[in-house]
Amino acid sequence: MTTIMGILNVTPDSFSDGGRYLDLDAAVMHAEALRDAGAHIVDIGGESTRPGAERVAPETERARVVPAVEALAARGFVVSVDTMNAATAAAAVTAGARIVNDVSGGLADPEMFPAVAESRADVVIGHWRGHSADMYATARYEDVVGEVVAELQERVAAALAAGIAPERIVLDPGIGFGKRGDQNWAVLGGLGRVVALGHRVLVGTSRKGFLRDAMDEPPASDGQTDRGRRDLATAVTSVLAADAGAWGVRVHDVATTRDALAVRARWREAS
Ligand code: PMM
């Protein structure tokens, strides 16, 4: 069974106005909706990692994330915390998070792997080459799949050296991180080589811009992307990622991906 990680962003642009209590209420309601739709894990993030996004002060990130982690862990959710900051990760684990999801794979904060090693949390190590503001400046590759695999191996070695047991490690090829459109497709096409490293693999394609090329998506008139089309494309990439051996997928629209994975499962059972 493919693990579905549902995305819960606790950033001001994701939950409009209201005080912190209201935000927390909204966060819990959204997490319940994700779980009802079939999410096994809820991934809580307090800092946008979109291209060009501004960094958030660690205290601000912590203040957004920790109460949500605490509330959800207390309600029995399996919570993951999406952060590049070791102090936020440690506080979230204390509050009940079971997974630290670091898109930078420990590169943004040298304290990250030691902090994870001290905890009992699993860690998602993402392939990453730099912060969002200059993310595409680093998108230069001779052999994108080979370099992603080699750089992930280096990060695994660093995690092991810090004392993190191999079974606690999940690898993520970092779709959209330091990669332009075609480079993302190349990485997905070569996903089997990431799986072959022997760790669980998580893939995050949800609503990302590179999906646009495949669908010839016209620019939306109101400046918003067509989420329905992106969610369908995400469900398809999730199925294909599962076929390539991925352990899990990280998505916004859990129901569509759940259905797609359920159809895949029936097809396979009958084969
Ligand atoms: N992508 C984003 C944020 N966190 N975490 C993992 N493990 N993998 C990803 O691909 C990933 C992530 C950026 O997407 P969002 O801003 O739409 O959540």
Side-chain angles (χ1 to χ4, degrees):
M1 190 194 61
T2 310
T3 299
I4 302 176
M5 179 184 269
I7 301 169
L8 177 63
N9 285 317
V10 287
T11 48
D13 48 350
S14 47
F15 293 105
S16 53
D17 66 24
R20 249 180 74 196
Y21 175 69
L22 279 180
D23 283 355
L24 194 56
D25 254 6
V28 170
M29 271 170 58
H30 189 59
E32 284 169 346
L34 292 170
R35 180 168 65 186
D36 291 348
H40 307 104
I41 300 169
V42 174
D43 186 44
I44 303 179
E47 178 182 24
S48 175
T49 49
R50 287 187 177 284
E54 298 281 326
R55 297 298 317 272
V56 168
E59 310 76 61
T60 308
E61 184 197 32
R62 233 178 1 259
R64 288 176 185 170
V65 158
V66 172
V69 171
E70 207 160 41
L72 295 185
R75 287 167 173 78
F77 286 85
V78 176
V79 174
S80 120
V81 59
D82 186 347
T83 183
M84 294 187 258
N85 186 282
T88 302
V93 170
T94 303
R98 287 206 239 158
I99 304 167
V100 174
N101 173 22
D102 180 359
V103 297
S104 85
L107 283 172
D109 186 340
E111 296 306 317
M112 181 60 93
F113 286 162
V116 171
E118 260 189 46
S119 76
R120 292 171 59 187
D122 287 352
V123 62
V124 179
I125 296 179
H127 176 262
W128 184 85
R129 285 188 168 182
H131 286 290
S132 296
D134 53 11
M135 185 133 61
Y136 293 128
T138 58
R140 294 203 188 85
Y141 301 85
E142 295 279 323
D143 161 19
V144 64
V145 181
E147 289 169 54
V148 166
V149 166
E151 289 165 32
L152 282 174
Q153 275 178 305
E154 283 173 25
R155 301 316 303 153
V156 168
L160 297 175
I164 300 172
E167 59 273 16
R168 292 169 59 195
I169 295 174
V170 178
L171 297 180
D172 186 321
I175 298 301
F177 291 95
K179 296 166 200 77
R180 297 178 191 276
D182 278 358
Q183 296 166 337
N184 293 300
W185 289 109
V187 168
L188 290 174
L191 192 64
R193 288 173 63 191
V194 179
V195 172
L197 294 175
H199 296 277
R200 288 174 286 169
V201 171
L202 177 70
V203 178
T205 60
S206 192
R207 295 182 182 164
K208 288 185 180 171
F210 80 104
L211 295 171
R212 194 188 299 121
D213 335 330
M215 298 184 294
D216 230 358
E217 189 185 293
S221 52
D222 59 0
Q224 297 287 311
T225 55
D226 182 337
R227 286 191 168 172
R229 292 187 75 188
R230 292 272 178 102
D231 287 334
L232 176 63
T234 300
V236 175
T237 54
S238 296
V239 164
L240 296 171
D243 280 346
W247 161 80
V249 291
R250 178 183 180 276
V251 299
H252 297 88
D253 173 12
V254 170
T256 306
T257 279
R258 173 206 62 203
D259 287 346
L261 289 169
V263 170
R264 169 182 180 267
R266 287 302 285 264
W267 179 295
R268 285 164 62 86
E269 278 163 28
S271 308

Coordinates of all heavy atoms in Angstrom, one line a residue, residues 181-247:
G181 N 11.7 22.5 -15.5 CA 10.6 21.6 -16.0 C 11.1 20.2 -16.4 O 10.8 19.2 -15.8
D182 N 11.9 20.1 -17.5 CA 12.3 18.8 -18.1 C 13.2 18.0 -17.1 O 13.1 16.8 -17.1 CB 13.1 19.0 -19.3 CG 12.2 19.3 -20.5 OD1 11.0 19.3 -20.3 OD2 12.8 19.5 -21.6
Q183 N 13.9 18.7 -16.3 CA 14.8 18.0 -15.3 C 13.9 17.2 -14.3 O 14.3 16.1 -13.9 CB 15.7 19.0 -14.6 CG 16.7 19.7 -15.6 CD 17.3 20.9 -15.0 OE1 16.9 21.6 -14.1 NE2 18.5 21.2 -15.6
N184 N 12.7 17.8 -14.0 CA 11.8 17.1 -13.1 C 11.3 15.8 -13.7 O 11.2 14.8 -13.1 CB 10.7 18.0 -12.7 CG 11.1 19.1 -11.8 OD1 11.7 18.9 -10.8 ND2 10.9 20.4 -12.3
W185 N 11.0 15.9 -15.0 CA 10.5 14.7 -15.7 C 11.6 13.7 -15.8 O 11.3 12.5 -15.7 CB 10.0 15.1 -17.1 CG 8.7 15.8 -17.1 CD1 8.5 17.2 -17.4 CD2 7.4 15.3 -16.6 NE1 7.2 17.5 -17.1 CE2 6.5 16.4 -16.7 CE3 7.0 14.1 -16.2 CZ2 5.2 16.3 -16.3 CZ3 5.6 14.0 -15.8 CH2 4.7 15.0 -15.9
A186 N 12.8 14.1 -16.0 CA 13.9 13.2 -16.1 C 14.1 12.4 -14.8 O 14.3 11.2 -14.7 CB 15.2 13.9 -16.5
V187 N 14.0 13.2 -13.7 CA 14.1 12.6 -12.4 C 13.0 11.6 -12.1 O 13.2 10.5 -11.6 CB 14.2 13.6 -11.3 CG1 14.0 13.0 -9.9 CG2 15.4 14.5 -11.4
L188 N 11.8 11.9 -12.5 CA 10.7 11.0 -12.3 C 10.9 9.7 -13.2 O 10.7 8.6 -12.7 CB 9.3 11.6 -12.7 CG 8.9 12.7 -11.7 CD1 7.6 13.4 -12.2 CD2 8.6 12.1 -10.3
G189 N 11.4 9.9 -14.4 CA 11.6 8.8 -15.3 C 12.7 7.9 -14.7 O 12.7 6.7 -15.0
G190 N 13.6 8.5 -14.0 CA 14.7 7.7 -13.4 C 14.5 7.4 -11.9 O 15.5 7.0 -11.2
L191 N 13.2 7.5 -11.5 CA 13.0 7.3 -10.1 C 13.4 5.9 -9.5 O 13.9 5.8 -8.4 CB 11.5 7.4 -9.8 CG 11.0 7.6 -8.3 CD1 11.6 8.8 -7.7 CD2 9.5 7.5 -8.2
G192 N 13.4 4.9 -10.4 CA 13.9 3.6 -10.0 C 15.3 3.6 -9.4 O 15.6 2.8 -8.5
R193 N 16.1 4.5 -9.9 CA 17.5 4.6 -9.4 C 17.6 5.2 -8.0 O 18.5 4.9 -7.3 CB 18.4 5.4 -10.4 CG 18.6 4.6 -11.7 CD 19.3 5.4 -12.7 NE 20.6 5.8 -12.3 CZ 21.4 6.7 -13.0 NH1 20.9 7.3 -14.1 NH2 22.6 7.1 -12.6
V194 N 16.6 6.0 -7.7 CA 16.5 6.5 -6.3 C 16.0 5.4 -5.4 O 16.6 5.1 -4.3 CB 15.6 7.8 -6.2 CG1 15.6 8.3 -4.8 CG2 16.1 8.9 -7.1
V195 N 15.0 4.7 -5.9 CA 14.5 3.5 -5.1 C 15.6 2.5 -4.9 O 15.7 1.9 -3.8 CB 13.3 2.9 -5.9 CG1 12.8 1.6 -5.2 CG2 12.1 3.9 -5.9
A196 N 16.4 2.3 -5.9 CA 17.5 1.3 -5.8 C 18.5 1.6 -4.7 O 19.3 0.7 -4.3 CB 18.2 1.1 -7.1
L197 N 18.5 2.8 -4.1 CA 19.4 3.1 -3.0 C 19.0 2.4 -1.8 O 19.8 2.3 -0.8 CB 19.4 4.6 -2.7 CG 20.0 5.5 -3.9 CD1 19.9 7.0 -3.6 CD2 21.5 5.2 -4.1
G198 N 17.8 1.8 -1.7 CA 17.4 0.9 -0.7 C 16.7 1.5 0.5 O 16.4 0.8 1.5
H199 N 16.3 2.8 0.4 CA 15.5 3.5 1.4 C 14.1 3.6 0.9 O 13.9 3.5 -0.3 CB 16.1 4.8 1.8 CG 17.5 4.7 2.4 ND1 17.7 4.4 3.7 CD2 18.7 4.8 1.8 CE1 19.0 4.3 3.9 NE2 19.7 4.6 2.8
R200 N 13.2 3.9 1.9 CA 11.9 4.3 1.4 C 12.0 5.6 0.6 O 12.8 6.5 0.9 CB 11.0 4.6 2.6 CG 10.6 3.3 3.4 CD 9.8 3.7 4.7 NE 10.7 4.2 5.7 CZ 10.4 4.8 6.8 NH1 9.1 5.0 7.1 NH2 11.3 5.3 7.7
V201 N 11.1 5.7 -0.4 CA 11.2 6.9 -1.3 C 9.8 7.6 -1.3 O 8.8 7.0 -1.4 CB 11.6 6.6 -2.7 CG1 11.5 7.8 -3.6 CG2 13.1 6.1 -2.7
L202 N 9.9 9.0 -1.0 CA 8.7 9.8 -1.0 C 8.8 10.7 -2.2 O 9.9 11.2 -2.5 CB 8.7 10.6 0.3 CG 7.5 11.6 0.5 CD1 6.2 10.9 0.7 CD2 7.8 12.5 1.7
V203 N 7.6 11.0 -2.9 CA 7.7 11.8 -4.1 C 6.6 12.9 -3.9 O 5.4 12.6 -3.6 CB 7.4 11.0 -5.4 CG1 7.4 11.9 -6.6 CG2 8.5 9.9 -5.5
G204 N 7.0 14.2 -4.2 CA 6.1 15.3 -4.1 C 5.9 16.0 -5.4 O 6.8 16.8 -5.7
T205 N 4.9 15.7 -6.1 CA 4.7 16.4 -7.4 C 3.5 17.4 -7.3 O 3.2 18.1 -8.2 CB 4.3 15.4 -8.5 OG1 3.1 14.7 -8.2 CG2 5.5 14.5 -8.8
S206 N 2.8 17.4 -6.2 CA 1.4 17.9 -6.1 C 1.4 19.4 -6.5 O 2.0 20.3 -6.0 CB 0.9 17.8 -4.6 OG -0.4 18.1 -4.6
R207 N 0.5 19.6 -7.6 CA 0.2 21.0 -8.1 C 1.4 21.7 -8.6 O 1.4 22.9 -8.8 CB -0.5 21.8 -7.1 CG -1.9 21.2 -6.7 CD -2.7 22.1 -5.7 NE -4.0 21.5 -5.5 CZ -4.7 21.8 -4.4 NH1 -4.4 22.7 -3.6 NH2 -5.9 21.2 -4.2
K208 N 2.6 21.0 -8.8 CA 3.8 21.8 -9.1 C 3.8 22.2 -10.6 O 3.2 21.6 -11.5 CB 5.0 20.9 -8.8 CG 5.2 20.9 -7.3 CD 6.5 20.2 -6.8 CE 6.5 20.2 -5.3 NZ 7.6 19.4 -4.7
G209 N 4.5 23.3 -10.8 CA 4.5 24.0 -12.1 C 4.9 23.1 -13.3 O 4.4 23.3 -14.4
F210 N 5.8 22.1 -13.1 CA 6.3 21.3 -14.2 C 5.2 20.5 -14.8 O 5.3 20.1 -16.0 CB 7.4 20.4 -13.8 CG 7.0 19.2 -13.0 CD1 7.0 18.0 -13.7 CD2 6.5 19.2 -11.8 CE1 6.6 16.8 -13.1 CE2 6.1 18.1 -11.1 CZ 6.1 16.9 -11.8
L211 N 4.1 20.3 -14.1 CA 3.0 19.5 -14.6 C 2.3 20.2 -15.8 O 1.7 19.5 -16.7 CB 1.9 19.2 -13.5 CG 2.4 18.3 -12.4 CD1 1.3 18.3 -11.3 CD2 2.7 16.9 -12.8
R212 N 2.4 21.5 -15.8 CA 1.8 22.3 -16.9 C 2.3 21.9 -18.3 O 1.5 21.8 -19.2 CB 2.3 23.8 -16.6 CG 1.5 24.8 -17.4 CD 2.1 26.2 -17.3 NE 2.1 26.7 -15.9 CZ 3.2 27.0 -15.2 NH1 4.4 26.9 -15.8 NH2 3.1 27.4 -14.0
D213 N 3.6 21.6 -18.4 CA 4.1 21.2 -19.8 C 3.3 20.0 -20.4 O 3.1 19.9 -21.6 CB 5.5 20.8 -19.9 CG 6.4 21.3 -18.8 OD1 6.1 22.4 -18.3 OD2 7.4 20.6 -18.5
A214 N 3.1 19.0 -19.5 CA 2.5 17.8 -20.0 C 1.1 18.0 -20.5 O 0.6 17.3 -21.4 CB 2.5 16.7 -18.9
M215 N 0.4 19.0 -19.9 CA -1.0 19.1 -20.2 C -1.4 20.3 -21.1 O -2.5 20.6 -21.4 CB -1.8 19.3 -18.9 CG -1.7 18.1 -18.0 SD -2.7 18.3 -16.5 CE -1.9 19.7 -15.7
D216 N -0.3 21.0 -21.5 CA -0.5 22.2 -22.4 C -1.5 23.1 -21.7 O -2.5 23.6 -22.3 CB -1.2 21.7 -23.7 CG -0.4 22.3 -24.9 OD1 0.5 23.1 -24.6 OD2 -0.8 22.0 -26.0
E217 N -1.3 23.3 -20.4 CA -2.2 24.1 -19.6 C -2.2 25.6 -20.0 O -1.1 26.2 -19.9 CB -1.8 23.9 -18.1 CG -2.7 24.4 -17.1 CD -2.1 24.2 -15.7 OE1 -2.0 23.1 -15.3 OE2 -1.8 25.3 -15.1
P218 N -3.3 26.2 -20.4 CA -3.2 27.6 -20.7 C -3.1 28.4 -19.4 O -3.5 28.0 -18.3 CB -4.5 27.9 -21.4 CG -5.5 26.8 -20.8 CD -4.6 25.6 -20.4
P219 N -2.5 29.6 -19.5 CA -2.5 30.5 -18.3 C -3.9 30.8 -17.9 O -4.7 31.2 -18.7 CB -1.7 31.7 -18.7 CG -1.3 31.5 -20.1 CD -2.0 30.3 -20.7
A220 N -4.2 30.6 -16.6 CA -5.6 30.9 -16.1 C -5.8 32.4 -16.1 O -4.9 33.2 -15.8 CB -5.8 30.3 -14.7
S221 N -7.0 32.8 -16.5 CA -7.3 34.2 -16.7 C -7.2 35.0 -15.3 O -6.8 36.2 -15.3 CB -8.7 34.4 -17.3 OG -9.6 33.7 -16.5
D222 N -7.5 34.4 -14.2 CA -7.4 35.1 -12.9 C -6.1 34.9 -12.3 O -5.9 35.3 -11.1 CB -8.5 34.6 -12.0 CG -8.4 33.1 -11.7 OD1 -7.5 32.4 -12.3 OD2 -9.2 32.6 -11.0
G223 N -5.1 34.4 -13.0 CA -3.8 34.2 -12.4 C -3.6 33.0 -11.5 O -2.5 32.7 -11.1
Q224 N -4.7 32.3 -11.3 CA -4.7 31.1 -10.4 C -4.4 29.9 -11.4 O -4.9 29.9 -12.5 CB -6.0 30.9 -9.7 CG -6.3 32.0 -8.7 CD -5.5 31.9 -7.5 OE1 -5.3 30.9 -6.9 NE2 -4.9 33.0 -7.1
T225 N -3.8 28.9 -10.9 CA -3.7 27.7 -11.7 C -5.0 26.9 -11.6 O -5.8 27.1 -10.7 CB -2.6 26.7 -11.1 OG1 -2.9 26.5 -9.7 CG2 -1.2 27.4 -11.2
D226 N -5.2 26.0 -12.6 CA -6.4 25.2 -12.6 C -6.1 24.0 -11.7 O -5.5 23.0 -12.1 CB -6.7 24.8 -14.0 CG -7.9 23.9 -14.1 OD1 -8.3 23.3 -13.1 OD2 -8.5 23.9 -15.2
R227 N -6.5 24.1 -10.5 CA -6.2 23.1 -9.5 C -6.7 21.7 -9.8 O -6.1 20.7 -9.6 CB -6.7 23.5 -8.1 CG -5.9 24.6 -7.5 CD -6.2 24.8 -6.1 NE -5.2 25.6 -5.5 CZ -5.3 26.1 -4.2 NH1 -6.4 25.8 -3.5 NH2 -4.4 26.9 -3.7
G228 N -7.9 21.7 -10.4 CA -8.5 20.4 -10.8 C -7.6 19.6 -11.7 O -7.4 18.4 -11.5
R229 N -7.1 20.3 -12.7 CA -6.2 19.6 -13.7 C -4.9 19.2 -13.0 O -4.4 18.2 -13.3 CB -5.9 20.6 -14.9 CG -7.2 20.8 -15.7 CD -6.9 21.6 -17.0 NE -6.2 20.8 -18.0 CZ -5.7 21.2 -19.1 NH1 -5.7 22.5 -19.3 NH2 -5.1 20.4 -20.0
R230 N -4.4 20.1 -12.2 CA -3.1 19.8 -11.5 C -3.3 18.6 -10.6 O -2.4 17.7 -10.4 CB -2.6 21.0 -10.7 CG -2.2 22.2 -11.6 CD -0.7 22.1 -12.0 NE -0.3 23.2 -12.9 CZ 0.4 24.2 -12.5 NH1 0.8 24.3 -11.2 NH2 0.7 25.2 -13.3
D231 N -4.5 18.5 -9.9 CA -4.7 17.4 -9.0 C -4.9 16.1 -9.7 O -4.4 15.1 -9.2 CB -6.0 17.7 -8.1 CG -5.7 18.8 -7.1 OD1 -4.5 19.0 -6.7 OD2 -6.6 19.5 -6.7
L232 N -5.5 16.2 -10.9 CA -5.6 14.9 -11.7 C -4.2 14.5 -12.1 O -3.8 13.3 -12.0 CB -6.5 15.2 -12.9 CG -6.5 14.0 -13.9 CD1 -7.2 12.8 -13.2 CD2 -7.3 14.4 -15.1
A233 N -3.4 15.4 -12.6 CA -2.0 15.1 -13.1 C -1.2 14.6 -11.9 O -0.4 13.7 -12.0 CB -1.3 16.4 -13.6
T234 N -1.4 15.1 -10.7 CA -0.7 14.7 -9.5 C -1.1 13.2 -9.2 O -0.3 12.4 -8.8 CB -1.1 15.6 -8.3 OG1 -0.7 16.9 -8.6 CG2 -0.5 15.1 -7.0
A235 N -2.4 12.9 -9.3 CA -2.8 11.6 -9.0 C -2.2 10.6 -10.0 O -1.8 9.5 -9.6 CB -4.4 11.5 -9.1
V236 N -2.0 11.0 -11.3 CA -1.4 10.1 -12.3 C 0.1 9.9 -11.9 O 0.6 8.8 -11.9 CB -1.6 10.7 -13.7 CG1 -0.8 9.8 -14.7 CG2 -3.0 10.7 -14.1
T237 N 0.8 11.0 -11.6 CA 2.2 10.9 -11.2 C 2.3 10.1 -10.0 O 3.3 9.3 -9.8 CB 2.9 12.3 -11.1 OG1 2.2 13.0 -10.1 CG2 3.0 13.0 -12.4
S238 N 1.4 10.2 -9.1 CA 1.4 9.4 -7.8 C 1.4 7.9 -8.1 O 2.1 7.1 -7.6 CB 0.3 9.8 -6.9 OG 0.5 11.1 -6.5
V239 N 0.5 7.5 -9.1 CA 0.4 6.1 -9.5 C 1.7 5.6 -10.1 O 2.2 4.6 -9.8 CB -0.8 5.9 -10.4 CG1 -0.7 4.6 -11.2 CG2 -2.1 6.0 -9.7
L240 N 2.2 6.5 -11.0 CA 3.4 6.1 -11.7 C 4.6 6.0 -10.7 O 5.5 5.2 -10.9 CB 3.7 7.1 -12.9 CG 2.6 7.0 -14.0 CD1 2.8 8.1 -15.0 CD2 2.6 5.7 -14.7
A241 N 4.6 6.9 -9.7 CA 5.7 6.8 -8.7 C 5.6 5.5 -7.9 O 6.6 4.9 -7.7 CB 5.6 8.0 -7.8
A242 N 4.3 5.1 -7.6 CA 4.1 3.9 -6.9 C 4.6 2.7 -7.8 O 5.3 1.8 -7.3 CB 2.6 3.7 -6.6
D243 N 4.3 2.8 -9.1 CA 4.8 1.7 -10.0 C 6.3 1.6 -10.0 O 6.9 0.6 -10.1 CB 4.3 2.0 -11.4 CG 2.9 1.6 -11.7 OD1 2.3 0.8 -10.8 OD2 2.3 2.0 -12.7
A244 N 7.0 2.8 -9.8 CA 8.4 2.8 -9.9 C 9.0 2.4 -8.5 O 10.2 2.4 -8.4 CB 8.9 4.2 -10.3
G245 N 8.2 2.1 -7.5 CA 8.6 1.6 -6.3 C 8.6 2.6 -5.1 O 9.2 2.3 -4.1
A246 N 8.0 3.8 -5.3 CA 7.9 4.8 -4.3 C 7.1 4.2 -3.1 O 6.2 3.5 -3.3 CB 7.3 6.1 -4.7
W247 N 7.6 4.6 -1.9 CA 6.8 4.2 -0.7 C 5.7 5.1 -0.4 O 4.6 4.7 0.1 CB 7.8 4.3 0.5 CG 7.2 4.3 1.9 CD1 6.7 3.3 2.6 CD2 7.1 5.5 2.7 NE1 6.3 3.8 3.8 CE2 6.5 5.2 3.9 CE3 7.4 6.9 2.5 CZ2 6.2 6.1 4.9 CZ3 7.1 7.8 3.5 CH2 6.5 7.4 4.7

